[in-house]
Amino acid sequence: MYRKFFSREDLPKNIRSLEKEAMVNMLFTTGGYYLSGGDRKAAARIALRALRQSPELFYRPSLVHKVFYCLYGNSAFYQRSRDAYHRARANLAA
């Protein structure tokens, strides 16, 4: 569906430029669904696929947060990383 949308000829360039980020977000959303369904291995595979597709996005804190979620679910490690992520965001906003 995403590929079909972004392949439209009438799509403005500013929207087309968001394709890579949209695809990566779709992959992380899929990983979250796998995790919710109990398939941790599939969630991890999807997260790694997203990173391979756009390794430069790994430096964005919001995407690092999504990688940790797909790899570690609701483990104590993930909870600590999520808390650190939210503290960092709050400090940046202040």
Side-chain angles (χ1 to χ4, degrees), residues 13 19-20 22-23 26 30-32 36 45-47 49 51 53 55 60 68 72 75 77 81 86 89 91-93:
K13 286 184 181 184
E19 180 178 10
K20 188 180 259 189
M23 294 297 282
M26 182 269 305
T30 301
S36 295
R45 279 194 309 271
I46 288 290
R49 182 175 162 195
L51 285 176
Q53 185 167 339
R60 293 181 50 194
F68 283 152
Y72 301 106
S75 67
F77 175 74
S81 71
H86 287 292
R89 283 190 67 188
N91 288 337
L92 289 173

Side-chain angles (χ1 to χ4, degrees), residues 25 57-69 77-93:
N25 280 321
L57 295 177
F58 184 71
Y59 297 103
R60 293 181 50 194
S62 62
L63 293 182
V64 172
H65 169 71
K66 291 175 183 181
V67 169
F68 283 152
Y69 178 70
F77 175 74
Y78 169 73
Q79 295 296 329
R80 286 191 306 272
S81 71
R82 185 190 68 188
D83 293 344
Y85 166 74
H86 287 292
R87 281 192 306 274
R89 283 190 67 188
N91 288 337
L92 289 173

Side-chain angles (χ1 to χ4, degrees), residues 1-12 15-16 19 22-23 26:
M1 178 176 78
Y2 278 59
R3 284 187 183 98
K4 185 176 180 178
F5 174 77
F6 283 105
S7 68
R8 291 177 44 175
E9 295 293 326
D10 64 336
L11 201 62
I15 300 297
R16 190 181 310 277
E19 180 178 10
M23 294 297 282
M26 182 269 305

